[in-house]
Amino acid sequence: MKRTKVLRSIPFDLSLRDALGERLRVLPGDCARYPVSGVTPKSVALPRDAKETALALEAATAEGAIVVVRGAGTKSHRQPPPRTVEVVLDTSALDTVVEHAPEDLTVTVGGGTPLVKVEALLRARGQFWPCDAPFAASSTVGGTIASNAHGALRLRYGALREQILGALIATPDGALVRTGARVVKSVAGYDSHKLISGSFGTLGVIAEATLKVAPLPETENVVVARFRSAVSASAIARAVATSPLFPMAIVLVDDACARRVGALLAHASTGSWLLLIRCGGNRRSVARQVSDLTKACEATGADSVDILDHVATPRAWSDIRELSGGAPFDAQRFVVLKTTSLPTDTPAAIADARNRWPAAELSAQPASGIVYAHIPVSDLAPPAGANGEAPHVEPLHRAYTRAGWSAIVLSGPPSSLPPYVTAPSAPTRLFRAVKAALDPAGTLDPGRLPGGV
């Protein structure tokens, strides 16, 4: 579809008014509250249910308008910035618990339901959604799924897409498509709802999602082991991950990240790395895990090994989950880069990030090959050589492509990043094919997936 330069036409206004009534904002002051990576939208749509969401998308597609989907706005600093935004579609009113079936270990909620609301509901019945995404206090279920904001619990419970059983998706042509099912065991149809995990709202709007939940462990502990190098800490992390000890999660943080967590202040020291192993289950199994992990860490050169007990663990982990590009890192002051590699390459990815940005705060999931670099904006300029000669840093995309790693800039200030921070090329041919099939008019946030899709 050819985009018109004259947007906000009278028919467009009327069609959105018909769909949303007074839940359409067009005044500049109202729109300024919904910036997208520094770009102020021309209007804001606030549908109150799935039907209104679909109608708003249909009207926008008919006009050739560009729509950016927003939940709580925690990912509004995603890079690259959009060229323009005609409509921000705010899903925060899709805040409904449709069904909770504790005996089936499922819960169905609206896409705009706050994550903290779902966690409180499940906790009251002795359950939880094993996601541990950052921005837990404010993000929505739909936003968490769309951004694939999964934490270290993936080690035991699998990737985020495995925690989604079904969804109701509003597509740009105004249709409501239901995929998957509301039960754990289902073989009906394709798992097309898994496509939306990590799509950042570029394929459809999550109006409703059915989640697979899990029982809360009877007790939990965190083993805190301090190492002098990330290499030895990563090695024991990989060994533990493949052992019968079956921990819930493993996180590795440098001393700067550790100092952002109150429960870890007493354990951090300059230049050290803390390996955090979360254990959960019945009391007997957790006691065995903690005992064996303590011995394993001490045998591989840990400077110290301490235990956070069942009372301290939930509070500590609520801060630890935020160390993966979460709330502690102001998007105006930090660029957050997520690197994915083979688990065996985690020490090399950490060393590369430290070499490029000495002041960066680093956290990692060493058993999954994921590294988060929180780079101060002031540290982005390429460093000069040892003798003050012209700076030279191998571009990120070239070094990472050679190593077989992928990377994505999760957030940062609106200003352009230096060319040497450009992420490696993505499989754009596949991305373009999926985008063309589900959003042929390019309504939903075009050009902001990797590869400019």
Side-chain angles (χ1 to χ4, degrees):
M1 175 180 293
K2 184 178 180 180
R3 297 191 178 283
T4 61
K5 293 185 178 179
V6 183
L7 290 165
R8 307 231 42 77
S9 65
I10 291 176
F12 183 39
D13 273 349
L14 290 177
S15 57
L16 280 180
R17 290 284 180 198
D18 287 343
L20 302 169
E22 296 303 315
R23 292 174 299 285
L24 176 66
R25 304 284 185 269
V26 296
L27 296 177
D30 293 336
C31 296
R33 295 166 49 204
Y34 297 83
V36 181
S37 296
V39 178
T40 300
K42 298 176 181 176
S43 59
V44 178
L46 298 127
R48 60 184 172 184
D49 56 30
K51 183 179 178 182
E52 287 189 356
T53 302
L55 289 173
L57 285 178
E58 183 180 24
T61 300
E63 180 72 7
I66 291 177
V67 177
V68 174
V69 185
R70 171 189 166 112
T74 57
K75 314 299 184 304
S76 292
H77 301 282
R78 187 167 66 88
Q79 298 286 333
R83 292 188 298 274
T84 183
V85 181
E86 272 84 41
V87 182
V88 161
L89 195 151
D90 187 317
T91 64
S92 58
L94 308 180
D95 175 10
T96 306
V97 177
V98 180
E99 180 184 36
H100 179 206
E103 65 281 2
D104 294 333
L105 296 176
T106 65
V107 63
T108 301
V109 298
T113 307
L115 200 55
V116 68
K117 179 178 178 178
V118 176
E119 291 183 352
L121 169 76
L122 296 175
R123 181 169 289 278
R125 300 299 298 267
Q127 298 178 337
F128 75 123
W129 187 35
C131 174
D132 74 344
F135 297 103
S138 53
S139 61
T140 64
V141 169
T144 299
I145 295 172
S147 59
N148 194 26
H150 202 181
L153 284 175
R154 74 178 70 222
L155 179 65
R156 178 184 284 190
Y157 298 94
L160 180 62
R161 61 180 179 276
E162 305 299 332
Q163 314 306 324
I164 311 165
L165 298 173
L168 180 64
I169 301 171
T171 59
D173 60 357
L176 284 172
V177 179
R178 190 174 291 281
T179 70
R182 290 185 179 179
V183 295
V184 174
K185 292 186 177 179
S186 173
V187 294
Y190 296 104
D191 289 339
S192 50
H193 52 280
K194 295 181 179 179
L195 272 176
I196 59 178
S197 177
S199 67
F200 287 98
T202 60
L203 303 178
V205 180
I206 303 170
E208 185 181 298
T210 298
L211 313 175
K212 182 168 66 175
V213 303
L216 279 170
E218 179 183 331
T219 189
E220 291 185 62
N221 286 176
V222 174
V223 176
V224 183
R226 188 172 67 224
F227 288 85
R228 297 178 185 175
S229 82
V231 175
S232 52
S234 297
I236 187 63
R238 294 196 303 275
V240 168
T242 56
S243 74
L245 292 174
F246 202 41
M248 294 177 70
I250 303 177
V251 172
L252 180 64
V253 298
D254 67 3
D255 60 303
C257 273
R259 289 192 172 91
R260 291 184 180 273
V261 179
L264 301 180
L265 282 175
H267 308 281
S269 67
T270 301
S272 67
W273 291 83
L274 294 186
L275 185 65
L276 313 170
I277 307 175
R278 184 178 175 183
C279 306
N282 61 46
R283 297 181 188 281
R284 184 176 178 183
S285 68
V286 170
R288 174 65 183 274
Q289 290 177 56
V290 169
S291 173
D292 287 0
L293 288 170
T294 300
K295 294 175 183 175
C297 290
E298 289 175 343
T300 51
D303 289 341
S304 66
V305 182
D306 296 284
I307 311 299
L308 301 183
D309 63 18
H310 180 67
V311 176
T313 291
R315 187 168 184 175
W317 204 264
S318 69
D319 291 336
I320 293 168
R321 66 192 287 184
E322 298 290 343
L323 297 179
S324 52
F329 302 98
D330 182 354
Q332 299 299 323
R333 296 175 47 237
F334 288 89
V335 171
V336 180
L337 180 77
K338 176 184 176 183
T339 301
T340 305
S341 66
L342 290 173
T344 50
D345 284 350
T346 301
I350 289 174
D352 182 89
R354 179 64 79 216
N355 182 53
R356 290 175 183 275
W357 306 291
E361 299 182 27
L362 304 178
S363 65
Q365 297 166 22
S368 303
I370 295 173
V371 177
Y372 293 91
H374 311 90
I375 311 161
V377 173
S378 58
D379 204 28
L380 276 178
N387 300 317
E389 69 271 21
H392 173 75
V393 174
E394 184 179 19
L396 194 76
H397 69 275
R398 189 184 303 165
Y400 279 25
T401 299
R402 186 177 64 252
W405 305 342
S406 64
I408 182 172
V409 179
L410 296 180
S411 66
S415 57
S416 299
L417 297 173
Y420 84 101
V421 187
T422 305
S425 298
T428 52
R429 185 176 178 181
L430 175 61
F431 283 8
R432 291 186 190 283
V434 174
K435 178 73 171 173
L438 300 181
D439 182 21
T443 300
L444 291 169
D445 206 5
R448 297 185 69 206
L449 283 178
V453 177

